[in-house]
Every structure is written in C-alpha cells, then in structure tokens.
C-alpha cells in the first residue's frame, strides 16, 4: 500500500490496536526506544496491548518485569537519564499510586533539581477508567493527581487517531509523560493512518462546533458528550465539544475562546468531582473569561466515593450521555 | 526439628482440614461457573488447586488470630470461617454481601472473623499483617497474624519493607507464600533469579521453610510450628508453599492458555490437594469414600442455597448507598 493510498483510504482499527501498532512503528523507528512492564513481553500485556512486540523485538527491547512499580518507573528514569527513550507500563492507573514517588518526586523534578541538566525522555503508559466491575483499586481516574506535578506532561486520548499521534509525541518528547488509555475504550474503532505522525502536546481538539454551550470532556467522556450533543440537538441546543487531549500542559486558549463564543461551560470527567481536573479548568476559564459567562460553570463528574463494585452502583457512578445532557440543560436554565 | 513421628494430628483436625478444602473447592467452582455466565461481574481470581495452603494455614490459627489476603482471596476467607451466603452475594454485587456489594470478589473480607481483606494491590496486604501483629503484641493478647501472598508479590517493595519491619520489631507474624510459579501470565523464572521464595527469609532474619503446598498436612504442620513460634514471642517466620492454580489467572479456563502448557496443568491437577488428601484419609480409615461424598453433597447443597440467597438479594440502591461507608460519619 502506498502512502498516498493510506492517506485517502479510511483505515479503521481499534484503539488498542492503534496503541500496539504505534509502539511497533516507534520501536522500528528509534533503536533507543525500549518497553518494560509487567506481562508486556511474552504474554503481550494483560489487554494484549503489546501483542507480538516481544516476539518481533526480543527480550532486550520488550522486557517482562517483576511486579515492582517503583522499580519499573525507576528503570525508565535511570535509562532515560543516560540517553535511552524508555516506555514503561503501569498496567492500571491505580498502580500509578504505587510508583508515585518515582513519578512525582523523581522523574518530574530531576531536571529542575539538577539545574536543567537532566533530560528524561520517559513515557509512562497506563489504563484508567471504570465500567468493568473492577472495583475500587482497578477503576480509578487519577489524572488530577498527575496534573498537580510540575515537570510532567499528562495525555489522555479519546479516539484511535489521537492515540497514535499523541503517543508518538509523548515518546519523542524530552520530558516525562504519562499516557493514559481508557480500558473500556480498548475495543472502540476509528480511522488511523499507517506510519508515524505527531499530534502536538498541549493542543485541544474541537470535536464539534456549536454555539449554545461548550462541553469540555476528556477520555471516554468525549464519546458520551457526542451522544449528549445529539440528544440536545433534537431539543434545539447546539453544543460545542472540546477534547483537551493533553491535560498538562493544558490548552487554556482553546477553552477560553470557546467560552467567549458560547458563554456556557460544562466540564465532564470520570474522576471524582472533588479536586478533579474540572476544578482547574473552571478556574482557568473564569480567570480569563469571567465577563463572558452567562451561567456558573458546571461540572459533571463522579460522586465523592471510591469506585463501587456492584454494577448497580457503578452504572450510576460513571457520568454518561444522560447526565452530561442534564448538565448542559442546567447551564442553559432548561431544567425542569 | 519436627519429625514425622511427632505429627499426631487428631481425627477432628484431619476432618476439619478436609471439610474446609472442600468448602473452598465447591464455592470456587460455583463462582467460576457464575462468572462465565456473567452473573458475577468484574475480575474473579479463583483459588482452585491452592486449597491446602489457606486451609493448612488457617486451621493452625486460633480464633481471633488475623489473616491478610490477596486478590485471590476467596479461599482465605472460607478457610478462616467465611460464610457462603454473604460471599456469594458479594460476588454478585448484592447489598447482602460481606461488603454490601461495594468491594466484590477482589475485596472480599470479614473483619469480624479476622480476615482483614482481599486486596487489589499486589503486596498491599502484607504490611497490614505487620500492623495487626504489632497491635497484638502491644495488647499482649496472645494473638498472631498470618499474611498470605503470592510468589509475584515478593518482588514488590511493600513486601520487603513489611518483612524487614516484622523481623526488626520481632512481631508475631507468619508469612505464608503461595508459590504457584506464575504472576499473572509471566512465569517466575522470567522475573526472579531465585527458585525458592523461602531463600529470601534469611535476608530479614527469619527462618524460611519450603513445603509441598498440595499436601495439606505438610502445610498444617509447618504452619503450626510457625504459629507456635510467633505466639511464644520468638518472632516471624516464612513458609513457602509450592502450589499451583488450576485455572487461568482470572476466570475459569484451565487449558489452552499461551503461557503455560496443558501438560503442565494436567500434571499439577494429578496432584489435586483434595484428591490426595481423600486418598490418604481413606487409607488411614479416617474417612471413607462414601463419607467424603456425603460431605461434598452437603457442602454443595449449602453452595446452592447461597446462590439462591444471592440471586434473591437486592442490589445496592444508588440513591441511598452511593455515599455511605466512605467515612465513619453518615453522609
Ligand atoms: C501493585 C500491583 N501491580 C500489578 C497488579 C496486577 N496483578 C494482579 S495479580 C498479579 C500477579 C500476582 O502474582 P502472585 O503474587 O504470584 O499471585 P497469584 O496471582 O499467582 O496468586 C498482578 C501482576 C496489581 N494488582 N497490583
Ligand atoms: Mg503466583
């Protein structure tokens, strides 16, 4: 297949396969890249996200590690500090907490503490999100913990196309990045070109243009926001949807512009509302566009409890198209 | 050193060991079935094949002693005396479950029984055993704590920190390692340069012994020695039980997985701890095959009743139960 062909043809693949394909192309592209993590080698990862890579690139470049999250991230830090470009995997975002010292105290601060001398082209991959009955320690969305740390970059793709471009940018970035997949989206599909391309970090995507209100949604919530937008369109409400894609650095300009246009903002995330990224985004918008707002900024997010196991609770816990639509009606004062 | 001639285990204890193993087996087989029918949501890590470890360990304990557990925790709770109804209800996410449907299989627990909780974080429970043991020593209550953990969990920092602390503080802890040769889908030899986890014990300053984890009597005897030692104030010890999980890391497929051979699985199944023990009991004229069957039938009936109970139980109600149990105070 020629490049020209792939560019015109819709090439539909799964989110998870886009991840694997990107890793493969990166490994082919740059001999300094290696991957390490639990079960990522021979088995191909618990979600098969690394399938085939160990067979193709060998044990040196696709490394099965012990269960040792601190040492896994530390391995990446040390290898990056001396010139490699590691990709280390933390399987579930909940395990980020186990490695938090290495991430927040070590990786994020090394450049600064050493007067700019250390460069850490390190990518940490992980999977977040609820919806699989995986309960309190395997379902969390912890991006707010990460965006609080100067020195990190934090990325959360909402579709296969962005996944590829953002992953390439993360791996090629000379700073430590945390790249989060949503485990419930692994099977979702979308257009992904063959070959490496970059989507710049820190640039939001306007998923849908609209005039009446803006939904800012991240990760799996982008798809839910799109569904909500369709329902709302039937009610005569025309919403704009912005997917920040990169959570740190955050594209303040994009959301402020949108706020100035629609004057009403709803922020959606799966993490608990308290201290979530929605609070930060709302603060930034009111700092820059207070006079443009026609309603208080609304947040649609999870209640302030750990992620429940029972499907009866979990279904109600995770925001969805319906609760997002309600949020939009709220800022339009259309609630009854 | 304990020798064979000292190992005069009473008939009552032998029957107890047997019954508890069968209880785990039949509950797990049912749970696996229900999970494959999607009646149990989420991840389920079955204990089938490893029954002798939890049972040999827990029968050596006294009432009031505590245990900590892992993601593979059903067997630990049953061995400690857990009831089928609230377990099954919890697996199915019902409000009548041990954790009111909030924790599920991976967080099954009964603190009243001294089962301090299954844990979704590998190694996460081991330090809790040290803390409970600290409290026991502090209160001079003559209770001890047993930590169950897998081979894979001995590679994480929490385990090492806890083992060292327990020894440094000379606490009444027994470290019970279930070495089933795999951590998820990765064989031990790819992630550890030693074969025997027990080798690690010496580095902390405690004895480490290796036992056949498919032989419930061997596990019980080693556990009893370690428990007595802890209770006598002689400090922690480690027991490594060589065992095997018959099913996949999660779920119920035993065969046809890419990371272990069917042949290997079959070989271990030949050494089914329950079958081995039943053969021994029959030979020793402690329990006939018919009597064993009657025990299976009786326990199966209890499992079936628990399933009925769970299925008839209500789900938690989001409008009232979402914010409860987060804090001590009501929301
Ligand atoms: C901190 C952490 N890292 C990774 C995992 C994912 N995980 C769950 S079980 C498991 C393997 C545990 O192996 P082992 O301790 O040998 O117990 P086994 O499953 O064999 O009983 C892993 C890696 C986890 N739950 N927690
Ligand atoms: Mg194991």
């Amino acid at each position: 297949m020629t490049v020209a062909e792939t560019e015109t043809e819709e090439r539909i693949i799964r989110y998870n396969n886009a991840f694997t394909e990107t890793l493969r192309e990166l490994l082919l592209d740059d001999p300094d890249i290696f991957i390490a993590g639990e079960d990522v080698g021979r088995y191909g990862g618990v979600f098969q996200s690394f399938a085939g890579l160990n067979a193709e690139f060998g044990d040196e470049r696709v490394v099965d590690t012990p269960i040792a999250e601190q040492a896994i991230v530390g391995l990446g830090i040390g290898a990056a500090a001396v010139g490699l470009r590691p990709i280390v995997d933390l399987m579930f975002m909940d395990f980020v907490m186990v490695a938090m010292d290495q991430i927040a105290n070590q990786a994020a601060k090394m450049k600064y503490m050493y007067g700019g001398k250390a460069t850490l082209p390190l990518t940490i991959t992980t999977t977040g999100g609820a919806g699989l009955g995986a309960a309190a320690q395997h379902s969390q969305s912890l991006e707010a913990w990460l965006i609080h740390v100067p020195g990190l970059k934090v990325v959360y793709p909402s579709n296969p196309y962005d996944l590829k471009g953002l992953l390439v940018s993360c791996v090629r970035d000379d700073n430590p990045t945390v790249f989060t997949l949503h485990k419930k989206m692994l099977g979702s599909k979308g257009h992904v070109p063959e070959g490496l391309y970059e989507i710049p970090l820190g640039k939001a995507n306007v998923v849908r243009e609209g005039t009446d209100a803006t939904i800012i949604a991240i990760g799996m919530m982008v798809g839910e926001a799109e569904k909500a937008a369709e329902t709302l369109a039937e009610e005569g409400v025309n919403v704009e949807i912005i997917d920040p894609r990169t959570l740190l650095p955050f594209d303040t300009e994009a959301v402020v512009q949108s706020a100035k246009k629609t004057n009403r903002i709803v922020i959606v995330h799966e993490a608990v509302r308290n201290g979530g990224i929605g609070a930060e985004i709302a603060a930034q918008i009111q700092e820059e566009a207070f006079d443009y707002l026609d309603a208080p900024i609304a947040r649609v997010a999870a209640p302030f409890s750990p992620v429940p196991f029972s499907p009866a609770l979990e279904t109600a816990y995770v925001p969805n198209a319906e609760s997002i639509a309600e949020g939009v009606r709220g800022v339009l004062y259309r609630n009854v | 050193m304990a020798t064979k001639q000292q190992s005069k285990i009473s008939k009552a204890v032998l029957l107890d060991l047997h019954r508890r193993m069968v209880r785990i087996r039949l509950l797990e087989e049912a749970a696996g079935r229900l999970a494959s029918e999607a009646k149990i949501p989420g991840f389920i890590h079955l204990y089938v094949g490893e029954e002798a470890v939890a049972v040999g360990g827990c029968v050596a304990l006294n009432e009031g002693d505590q245990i900590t557990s892992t993601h593979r925790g059903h067997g630990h709770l049953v061995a400690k005396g857990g009831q089928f109804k609230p377990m099954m209800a919890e697996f199915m996410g019902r409000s009548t479950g041990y954790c009111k449907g909030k924790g599920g299989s991976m967080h099954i627990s009964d603190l009243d029984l001294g089962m301090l909780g299954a844990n979704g974080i590998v190694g996460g429970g081991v330090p809790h055993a040290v803390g409970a043991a600290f409290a026991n020593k502090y209160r001079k209550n003559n209770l001890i704590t047993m930590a169950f953990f897998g081979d894979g969990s001995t590679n994480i920092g929490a385990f090492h920190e806890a083992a060292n602390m327990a020894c440094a503080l000379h606490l009444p802890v027994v470290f019970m390692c279930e070495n089933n040769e795999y951590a998820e889908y990765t064989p031990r030899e790819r992630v550890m340069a030693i074969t025997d986890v027990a080798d690690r014990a010496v580095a902390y300053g405690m004895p480490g012994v290796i036992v056949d984890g498919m032989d419930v009597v061997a596990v019980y005897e080693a556990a009893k020695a370690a428990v007595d030692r802890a209770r006598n104030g002689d400090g922690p010890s480690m027991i490594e039980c060589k065992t095997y999980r018959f099913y996949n890391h999660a779920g119920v497929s035993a065969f046809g997985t890419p990371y272990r051979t069917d042949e290997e699985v079959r070989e271990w199944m030949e050494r089914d701890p329950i079958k081995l023990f039943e053969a021994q009991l029959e030979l020793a004229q402690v329990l006939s095959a018919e009597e064993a069957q009657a025990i299976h039938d009786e326990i199966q009936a209890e499992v079936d009743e628990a399933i009925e109970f769970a299925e008839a139980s209500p789900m938690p109600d989001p409008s009232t139960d979402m914010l409860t149990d987060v804090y001590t105070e009501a929301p």
Side-chain angles (χ1 to χ4, degrees), chain B residues 189-203:
Chain B
E189 67 268 16
R190 279 180 75 73
V191 290
M192 282 166 77
I194 54 171
T195 307
D196 301 320
V197 172
D199 287 355
R200 294 191 159 161
V202 67

Side-chain angles (χ1 to χ4, degrees), chain A residues 38 69 95, chain B residues 71-72 120 122 150-153 180 182-184 249:
Chain A
E38 295 159 22
E69 281 75 13
F95 311 159
Chain B
H71 56 286
R72 199 176 300 290
V122 167
D151 49 301
S153 76
N180 59 16
Y182 291 85
E184 287 189 338
H249 169 67

Side-chain angles (χ1 to χ4, degrees), chain B residues 223-258:
Chain B
K224 196 81 184 70
V227 165
D228 289 347
R229 188 183 140 85
R231 219 181 294 284
N232 290 336
D234 295 330
S237 29
M238 190 189 296
I239 300 168
E240 175 184 4
C241 305
K242 303 282 193 186
T243 185
Y244 201 77
R245 57 171 161 73
F246 289 174
Y247 293 126
N248 205 352
H249 169 67
V252 288
S253 42
F255 301 110
T257 58

